[in-house]
Amino acid sequence: MAQVEKKVGLLRRTSSSKRPLKEKVVLMYDDIFARDDPAVTNPRFWDELFLMKVNLEYLEAKLESLDGDEVLKIKENINSLFHHCIQALGEEHQIRVVNALQTLCALFRGVHQKNKSATGFDIINMLMGFDKAELRMKDLMESLDSLLCGDSSESLKSLCLKLLLCLVTVTDNISQNTILEYVMINSIFEAILQILSEVSSRSQHGYDAVVLLALLVNYRKYESVNPYIVKLSIVDDEPTLEGMGMVVHQALTEYNRQYKDKEEEHQGGFLSALSSMVGSMFVADADEKLSVQTNEAILLALYEAVHLNRNFITVLAQSHPEMDMAATSIDPVPTTPTTPLGTTPPMLDLMNSSELPLDPNLQTSNLLITFLKYSSIVMQDTKDEHRLNSARLCLIILTCIAEDQYADAFLHDDNMNFRVNLHRMPMRHRKKNAVGISPSRPLVCAVLDLMVEFIVTHMMKDFPMDLYMHCVQIIHKLICYQKKCRIRLHYTWRELWSALINLLKFFLSNETTLLTKHNIFHMALQVVNLFNMFITYGDTFLPTPNSYDELYYEIVRMHQVFDNLYCMVLRVSTNAGQWKEPASKVTHALINIRAIINHFSPKIESYAAVNHISQLSEDQVLEVVRSNYDTLTLKLQDGLDQFERYSEQPKEAAFFKELVRSISLNVRKNVSLNTLSQDLLLKEFSSIS
């Protein structure tokens, strides 16, 4: 009890022999925690309570300090406090509403902290009573819905969203939060949509609304019918979908801006100068300085929108002018949880405009471009758990995009060209910005660049197999679309072929280590079949006949890698063991690649001998290739242009469960530490009253 009293706000101190006086609200809390009904001795008790400034710290600590028997003794009073909080939400006096909302926050948090081991039903009984729970929660949700959709002040709406986020995240695993059953029954989905559809409310509350929706969608999503999933999947209102996209876009833009600022600050510093003198000795330190806290909550919201709602795909491609953060002085968005990253989009009226200004500091952008830039940042370093989760989620989102027909159409649209400058990881053999400014191309080129960049930069001891599988599958799905629609994309395919061959070389060099953790033969099969796609169908989607010649040139030039791969899989497939079957599949898949190598290698050697050339140039090899196609025999392989469509369950279910847990913990921490300032709220509503 002494510990609790230390936290109490004091009016004044008397002599050392007397105990300090308590705030009146604290005395009233003590009356609630006594056995008797406080309203018996003071009929105006509840009216007076909600005019008092809430002492959140004391109330929560008091709830946590109670033992089991004490809880049972005062259950009726706790039920009564909960009931009167809900009643106060309907009051015209705004201070009562503010204090009731904050008291409810303290009740939800305090009771759950005290009863972490208790069942959800025990918590419901303690807060509301079993017999009244359905009615109480119905009244609560209706009041919150009314406050969010009505003419309430923006501060009050913000506090309502904070309460809802508090309610959703009080348990580590939101699917174990039984109170959310009532939030499913008494939906606030329409209130969330209204916030997102209106420019003014979206700018102030959009971030919290989007995060809240993402969390509610993940409540028992695999166990029962979640109404928020059903409703989100059928939203077709353009302003609402655009509003959701705008919130996500601004949050990602703010992240990209912060990273760019840190990058420029670092490049101008002493460490950067020292690094350039002594090589890459300090690259690791540099990366640490450039790290910016990731935002999995907003990525989850983007994923759910892309995954569940096909209409949202159109939002990804909607063009608008993007401010050049380096050349334009815009005050950065405050990053406090009351205005989290992405809450207040700068230049919102400009971003909603359909007219593209002629300012040279503005360039056309869209949500997908911003997302690709964000992905290129978080994918650089996957050693940190949050960045690993973000990278995986980015790849899953791209997987959903790559298999959507409408998304593929605008990705490959030659009339929609964009300049996308992706971030690249510092490596010993290249400077970070060696590529320079990217040319204006269809967006699919940026997606392929991102995949190639990841493949090249993450061949390490702790091999991220899941991420590589997503990368290769995304590439495969894009090529399948190009083959199907006969789209001849002008892309530097050699960079992709080189990256894939180096990946196979990495498998060969680290076979023993990798096989203790991964089925590298499944990945090798995917990579080999990508080459088979180019060999079998390349004439339908490669940009020029010369591209097809270059493919054969690369296969012959790097024949040693394919030869060694064949030897490895042949060895493993002829021995009894767990990898026998997957290795034999790779053996079969290599038939055409080996046929190309065995067909052209002798002819190249013969050409060199006849012409007395010790080392042929690329042009000479290409000449040999072109003149010997007619005698090459290949086998038709079935199913190369078929792929398994993405399904969250069962493959990704465990990942999303842990991801939502992590997001929930982070949201809970922010809500509990940074609830709207009571002093500001009381000052605002005192002047209104």
Side-chain angles (χ1 to χ4, degrees):
M1 188 62 193
Q3 288 297 320
V4 175
E5 287 180 349
K6 280 182 183 178
K7 299 179 181 180
V8 177
L10 303 181
L11 294 176
R12 61 186 172 85
R13 286 190 178 276
T14 56
S15 65
S16 57
S17 62
K18 295 182 179 180
R19 301 186 67 181
L21 296 177
K22 292 182 178 180
E23 296 174 272
K24 183 174 181 181
V25 73
V26 169
L27 294 171
M28 296 182 82
Y29 290 154
D30 287 342
D31 288 340
I32 293 170
F33 287 100
R35 294 192 194 186
D36 299 328
D37 181 356
V40 172
T41 54
N42 180 6
R44 292 186 50 77
F45 180 87
W46 299 111
D47 290 331
E48 292 175 5
L49 178 66
F50 294 109
L51 289 173
M52 301 286 115
K53 178 182 173 182
V54 179
N55 190 323
L56 290 164
E57 201 172 39
Y58 183 87
L59 185 54
E60 283 185 53
K62 188 78 175 177
L63 284 163
E64 288 180 45
S65 69
L66 299 173
D67 62 32
D69 290 337
E70 288 175 319
V71 169
L72 290 174
K73 290 172 184 174
I74 63 161
K75 185 182 85 70
E76 294 300 325
N77 284 357
I78 299 295
N79 289 175
S80 188
L81 173 59
F82 191 89
H83 171 53
H84 283 92
C85 281
I86 295 170
Q87 283 190 322
L89 296 182
E91 296 272 359
E92 290 185 15
H93 203 308
Q94 299 287 280
I95 285 182
R96 292 182 187 276
V97 180
V98 170
N99 288 331
L101 287 168
Q102 295 195 332
T103 303
L104 284 167
C105 270
L107 276 173
F108 283 126
R109 286 201 296 252
V111 169
H112 276 87
Q113 282 296 110
K114 168 63 191 170
N115 295 278
K116 281 186 175 180
S117 60
T119 67
F121 298 109
D122 292 339
I123 288 169
I124 290 170
N125 192 35
M126 182 177 174
L127 280 172
M128 304 166 246
F130 286 133
D131 53 337
K132 301 279 177 41
E134 194 170 331
L135 177 62
R136 296 282 183 267
M137 284 303 296
K138 180 176 182 292
D139 290 342
L140 172 60
M141 298 308 294
E142 285 179 353
S143 294
L144 293 175
D145 185 84
S146 178
L147 288 167
L148 289 171
C149 296
D151 297 325
S152 307
S153 82
E154 300 304 333
S155 297
L156 207 53
K157 289 182 180 181
S158 184
L159 193 52
C160 287
L161 288 167
K162 296 290 188 231
L163 172 60
L164 285 163
L165 285 169
C166 169
L167 171 57
V168 172
T169 60
V170 284
T171 56
D172 293 353
N173 180 352
I174 64 171
S175 293
Q176 291 176 351
N177 186 354
T178 314
I179 296 178
L180 290 188
E181 285 296 330
Y182 301 108
V183 183
M184 296 293 117
I185 297 167
N186 305 286
S187 174
I188 50 156
F189 184 81
E190 286 70 23
I192 294 173
L193 293 198
Q194 183 174 316
I195 289 169
L196 296 175
S197 64
E198 297 173 358
V199 174
S200 59
S201 62
R202 178 172 70 238
S203 65
Q204 302 216 38
H205 314 299
Y207 184 91
D208 281 348
V210 162
V211 172
L212 177 62
L213 180 58
L215 290 170
L216 288 171
V217 162
N218 280 275
Y219 174 71
R220 296 188 178 174
K221 67 192 313 187
Y222 309 121
E223 302 161 32
S224 59
V225 178
N226 181 320
Y228 290 84
I229 292 178
V230 177
K231 291 181 178 182
L232 179 57
S233 66
I234 59 175
V235 174
D236 59 0
D237 179 62
E238 276 189 41
T240 302
L241 294 173
E242 288 171 13
M244 188 182 300
M246 194 70 74
V247 172
V248 174
H249 178 268
Q250 187 52 36
L252 298 182
T253 298
E254 177 62 16
Y255 178 94
N256 295 347
R257 185 194 65 77
Q258 287 185 18
Y259 181 85
K260 187 176 180 181
D261 287 349
K262 282 205 170 189
E263 188 178 45
E264 289 175 355
E265 178 187 332
H266 167 71
Q267 287 173 351
F270 170 76
L271 180 61
S272 176
L274 191 60
S275 298
S276 63
M277 286 191 293
V278 297
S280 58
M281 189 184 302
F282 296 105
V283 162
D285 295 335
D287 288 344
E288 284 176 19
K289 281 205 165 194
L290 293 181
S291 65
V292 179
Q293 186 177 357
T294 53
N295 193 336
E296 286 88 26
I298 213 72
L299 271 189
L300 179 66
L302 176 60
Y303 163 75
E304 297 296 357
V306 169
H307 179 229
L308 295 174
N309 191 303
R310 292 206 65 201
N311 299 314
F312 188 80
I313 292 292
T314 62
V315 175
L316 294 173
Q318 285 176 348
S319 298
H320 55 74
E322 178 181 64
M323 298 304 295
D324 184 342
M325 297 295 183
T328 311
S329 60
I330 299 176
D331 293 334
V333 180
T335 56
T336 62
T338 52
T339 53
L341 293 181
T343 299
T344 313
M347 307 299 288
L348 195 60
D349 54 339
L350 181 63
M351 294 168 77
N352 282 335
S353 170
S354 58
E355 299 264 341
L356 294 184
L358 299 176
D359 190 323
N361 290 327
L362 293 175
Q363 65 174 350
T364 306
S365 182
N366 56 39
L367 174 54
L368 183 56
I369 291 173
T370 303
F371 170 65
L372 289 172
K373 289 179 180 178
Y374 177 91
S375 300
S376 72
I377 295 171
V378 297
M379 285 183 187
Q380 289 184 51
D381 179 15
T382 56
K383 296 188 179 83
D384 170 74
E385 183 185 359
H386 290 288
R387 284 174 166 268
L388 179 64
N389 288 340
S390 285
R392 185 169 178 180
L393 191 48
C394 286
L395 288 168
I396 291 173
I397 292 168
L398 284 171
T399 299
C400 295
I401 291 170
E403 64 182 42
D404 182 275
Q405 291 292 306
Y406 180 83
D408 281 329
F410 75 73
L411 281 174
H412 291 85
D413 190 341
D414 206 29
N415 296 314
M416 293 175 62
N417 291 338
F418 297 91
R419 187 172 284 114
V420 185
N421 293 314
L422 301 174
H423 294 265
R424 289 159 62 90
M425 185 186 292
M427 297 181 73
R428 285 190 175 88
H429 63 277
R430 72 178 186 195
K431 291 182 179 178
K432 184 165 187 180
N433 296 318
V435 178
I437 297 175
S438 173
S440 190
R441 303 174 295 172
L443 279 176
V444 68
C445 296
V447 179
L448 289 168
D449 282 349
L450 185 62
M451 298 302 99
V452 169
E453 175 69 8
F454 184 87
I455 291 171
V456 168
T457 55
H458 288 77
M459 297 178 206
M460 50 195 179
K461 189 175 180 182
D462 191 11
F463 187 70
M465 177 63 82
D466 286 343
L467 303 191
Y468 269 89
M469 281 303 299
H470 282 301
C471 271
V472 173
Q473 287 167 359
I474 289 165
I475 295 166
H476 181 229
K477 289 172 182 181
L478 294 173
I479 293 174
C480 286
Y481 179 81
Q482 292 165 24
K483 178 257 176 185
K484 175 185 173 185
C485 299
R486 293 182 172 267
I487 295 171
R488 297 189 182 278
L489 183 69
H490 289 275
Y491 182 73
T492 50
W493 291 110
R494 274 183 123 162
E495 290 186 7
L496 172 62
W497 300 331
S498 175
L500 294 173
I501 291 170
N502 282 327
L503 179 56
L504 293 176
K505 191 189 294 186
F506 175 76
F507 287 161
L508 291 166
S509 302
N510 298 274
E511 175 194 352
T512 306
T513 306
L514 290 172
L515 280 177
T516 59
K517 297 179 180 178
H518 309 291
N519 178 3
I520 61 172
F521 300 108
H522 182 51
M523 170 66 82
L525 178 64
Q526 304 295 315
V527 172
V528 169
N529 277 338
L530 276 180
F531 280 101
N532 285 329
M533 276 285 291
F534 283 101
I535 293 166
T536 309
Y537 303 116
D539 60 327
T540 66
F541 64 84
L542 286 172
T544 63
N546 193 51
S547 303
Y548 202 69
D549 302 336
E550 289 174 351
L551 168 66
Y552 280 63
Y553 172 81
E554 283 299 311
I555 291 173
V556 174
R557 186 175 74 88
M558 301 300 292
H559 70 90
Q560 194 67 54
V561 175
F562 293 106
D563 291 342
N564 291 344
L565 177 64
Y566 180 74
C567 291
M568 180 181 81
V569 293
L570 187 64
R571 165 173 49 82
V572 175
S573 63
T574 52
N575 295 326
Q578 69 177 114
W579 307 119
K580 180 181 175 70
E581 185 179 347
S584 64
K585 288 181 180 178
V586 181
T587 308
H588 179 71
L590 282 165
I591 288 175
N592 283 341
I593 292 175
R594 296 190 71 243
I596 291 168
I597 294 168
N598 293 334
H599 176 74
F600 287 107
S601 293
K603 293 185 175 0
I604 292 168
E605 290 170 7
S606 174
Y607 180 91
V610 168
N611 292 280
H612 306 289
I613 303 171
S614 60
Q615 190 169 356
L616 299 182
S617 67
E618 181 176 333
D619 287 339
Q620 289 168 328
V621 174
L622 287 171
E623 184 184 331
V624 175
V625 168
R626 291 189 195 101
S627 58
N628 287 280
Y629 276 131
D630 293 345
T631 53
L632 174 64
T633 303
L634 299 175
K635 292 189 176 180
L636 186 64
Q637 293 178 307
D638 295 328
L640 292 174
D641 58 345
Q642 304 296 313
F643 58 82
E644 182 182 353
R645 293 190 66 82
Y646 170 76
S647 176
E648 184 180 316
Q649 193 181 23
K651 287 185 179 178
E652 304 293 346
F655 166 70
F656 278 103
K657 183 178 178 181
E658 286 306 309
L659 179 71
V660 172
R661 179 189 292 267
S662 172
I663 292 170
S664 179
L665 288 169
N666 193 46
V667 171
R668 183 168 76 209
K669 181 176 68 175
N670 284 338
V671 172
S672 63
L673 293 178
N674 299 282
T675 306
L676 283 172
S677 166
Q678 287 175 288
D679 291 332
L680 287 175
L681 283 166
L682 294 175
K683 184 178 179 182
E684 176 184 344
F685 295 118
S686 294
S687 61
I688 293 172
S689 304

